[in-house]
Amino acid sequence: MLTGLRTWLTRMRALLISLPLCAGVAIWGIADPAGLAAWAGQVTGAAFDALDWLYMLWVTGLLVLAAWLALGRHGRVRLGRSDESPEFSTPSWLSMLFAAGMGVGLLFWGVAEPVLHFDGAPGYTPGSREAARHALAVTLFHWGFHAWAIYGMTALALAYFAFKRGGSFMPGAGLRAELPGRWVPAAAEAANITAIVAIALGVAGSIAMGVFQLQRGLFVLVETDPEALWISGALLLMLVVCYALPLVMPLDKGVKWLSNANMALAIALMLFLLLAGPTAFLMRGFVTTAGDYLTELVSLSFQLFTFERQEAAGWFQGWTLTYFFWWISWSPFVGVFIARISRGRTIREFIAGVILVPTVFSVLWFAVFGGFGLYEELYGLGGVVEMVRYDVSIALFTLLERVPFPGVLNATAMVLAFVFLVTSVVSAAFVLGMLSSHVANPDRRSKVAWGLVLALLGAAMILAGDIQAVRSLSVLGAIPFAAVMVLQMVALLRALKFDEARYLAERERARSWQ
């Protein structure tokens, strides 16, 4: 009996530590939201001040590593048996990974971020045409190759050890399998717990932002109070009720259906805006922005504003570093989820699907939504900058008021934001159940428990009251997980080298027998 209890405690150690920890943060945030937000801002600010140069090098290095693996000899390696076919069709695969990775964020920031950079990115005159052009390029820098390299490389490490070595999807699995030393078991367990906390905080931040946006949408549609806490609470409760059903359904039925429906609706909204707006301008912006992004990619990857004024460094930390850490905080969640649905794909196919395709879609998305907002400022009625300064949550709805059928479009955007949130929470609860229970298919109780904790954390961040506080809280768990990612990449490279040497030795042995 004692042996069985000891085994159970060992297996559930991550759950017994991480669940109370996340619940404690949620309770702190509900009881003292200002205090929690201030503490999170101090911690993240200190980390950024000390190690911003290292973080930028690391994220850029992940992109270089991804390109090297995709284009090199390892690109032919299949994640699974050599004759294994992918579990999901390519369209469903792309829809699921994209909806889980960035869905609600694209809606929230699609108009707001380019307009904010147009109004205040360092090195450019606010409101100028040069600032507009740079605004789209720097937005893509935050949402493009670097972001998906963070997701993709985390997912690749997990998928490789799960499908090639028969291990689990635990973030520490690769460390246990490949790294030497007595410290490895403890580091692997710490990696699992760190990943759980990072996921919970990162997803809770998206819940808060989504509720903010939904509440502003109601203000535009039916003139409700955009600041009323009871409306925020009602929206959060409705969200919890709606994601409860998918939590008790199998992954391939719940998340797959939601993801496909979401992407179809998002593409329909984007195409309508493209056709109803200044189509030629937006398409020229798409081509120009893609070229500017590729042209500026190297310089942006190493731009730390070392010799600029303090305001520029503050902008860099508040935008670029915060975004990269936001992606890191989501990477254990999105990484596990992408790995879980990517069996049977080659490394080359995996990296192209996870990094290249979503980036191309992001270019088009921001060219349409952000480009339309910039067009209104430069050549249209104006006023978008003022609205975004007042409240970034209302940016999308402000723009949709300027095209035909604004009521229908605003309602569609709200439905899309809501379903994106449901998809993200369902996916996150599934992954949290996997990581905390050490099983590939967590039971319903585990998923529901994590769904409730995510709701509590979301409530805490809603009470924090502003987007900057939410962002600081969201990236808090990513700071230690960045170190875990370094160990994961070391383990992955060691495994690739060892497996390649073993394969060559076996092939040489087979030839000698012939």
Side-chain angles (χ1 to χ4, degrees), residues 83-152:
D83 60 344
E84 196 163 6
S85 299
E87 181 180 1
F88 297 99
S89 68
T90 298
S92 291
W93 178 58
L94 293 174
S95 296
M96 282 191 285
L97 71 90
F98 197 75
M102 291 187 176
V104 71
L106 286 175
L107 278 176
F108 192 95
W109 294 106
V111 178
E113 184 173 348
V115 170
L116 286 170
H117 296 327
F118 168 72
D119 187 47
Y124 293 85
T125 302
S128 65
R129 286 168 173 75
E130 293 78 11
R133 186 170 177 177
H134 177 72
L136 286 171
V138 77
T139 298
L140 289 174
F141 177 62
H142 296 154
W143 291 80
F145 291 130
H146 285 71
W148 286 97
I150 293 170
Y151 286 167

Side-chain angles (χ1 to χ4, degrees), residues 106-390:
L106 286 175
L107 278 176
F108 192 95
W109 294 106
V111 178
E113 184 173 348
V115 170
L116 286 170
H117 296 327
F118 168 72
D119 187 47
Y124 293 85
T125 302
S128 65
R129 286 168 173 75
E130 293 78 11
R133 186 170 177 177
H134 177 72
L136 286 171
V138 77
T139 298
L140 289 174
F141 177 62
H142 296 154
W143 291 80
F145 291 130
H146 285 71
W148 286 97
I150 293 170
Y151 286 167
M153 293 309 298
T154 303
L156 180 59
L158 297 172
Y160 191 89
F161 287 105
F163 299 140
K164 297 295 287 185
R165 296 292 189 85
S168 69
F169 291 103
M170 302 297 291
L175 280 59
R176 292 182 188 273
E178 278 297 323
L179 300 183
R182 294 183 177 180
W183 58 274
V184 171
E189 192 63 32
N192 298 335
I193 296 171
T194 301
I196 292 170
V197 174
I199 292 170
L201 293 176
V203 174
S206 292
I207 291 175
M209 286 200 311
V211 169
F212 288 153
Q213 188 171 39
L214 289 169
Q215 188 164 356
R216 299 324 185 262
L218 286 175
F219 166 69
V220 171
L221 283 174
V222 294
E223 298 184 354
T224 57
D225 186 350
E227 306 295 335
L229 277 179
W230 73 267
I231 296 179
S232 302
L235 288 169
L236 182 61
L237 180 60
M238 187 184 303
L239 176 66
V240 173
V241 171
C242 289
Y243 69 60
L245 178 60
L247 280 179
V248 299
M249 296 174 64
L251 176 69
D252 58 345
K253 292 182 179 179
V255 177
K256 179 181 176 181
W257 185 88
L258 285 173
S259 300
N260 289 340
N262 250 24
M263 289 308 299
L265 192 58
I267 291 172
L269 180 62
M270 180 180 67
L271 291 177
F272 181 88
L273 202 61
L274 175 64
L275 296 176
T279 307
F281 174 87
L282 297 179
M283 290 309 300
R284 286 196 296 268
F286 168 70
V287 175
T288 302
T289 300
D292 288 344
Y293 173 49
L294 293 175
T295 302
E296 298 181 35
L297 184 61
V298 174
S299 61
L300 288 171
S301 298
F302 297 95
Q303 175 60 277
L304 297 175
F305 298 94
T306 306
F307 304 104
E308 306 293 334
R309 292 185 301 176
Q310 189 63 34
E311 292 82 358
W315 179 92
F316 166 72
Q317 291 186 5
W319 283 102
T320 303
L321 276 186
T322 297
Y323 261 125
F324 287 171
F325 270 87
W326 203 346
W327 307 143
I328 291 173
S329 73
W330 273 59
S331 65
F333 150 46
V334 180
V336 170
F337 188 75
I338 293 174
R340 173 73 171 73
I341 63 176
S342 299
R343 190 181 189 104
R345 301 190 181 273
T346 65
I347 289 179
R348 182 172 295 119
E349 181 184 12
F350 179 91
I351 290 176
V354 175
I355 298 178
L356 186 60
V357 174
T359 297
V360 172
F361 183 85
S362 296
V363 174
L364 182 58
W365 183 273
F366 283 106
V368 172
F369 285 85
F372 199 168
L374 295 173
Y375 177 88
E376 285 294 302
E377 281 298 311
L378 292 171
Y379 308 109
L381 299 176
V384 181
V385 168
E386 285 75 14
M387 291 303 298
V388 174
R389 283 177 186 165
Y390 171 72

Side-chain angles (χ1 to χ4, degrees), residues 421-446:
L421 275 177
V422 171
T423 307
S424 295
V425 176
V426 171
S427 304
F430 182 91
V431 171
L432 287 168
M434 287 176 57
L435 299 184
S436 59
S437 304
H438 289 244
V439 293
N441 291 294
D443 59 33
R444 295 177 181 179
R445 288 178 300 177
S446 176

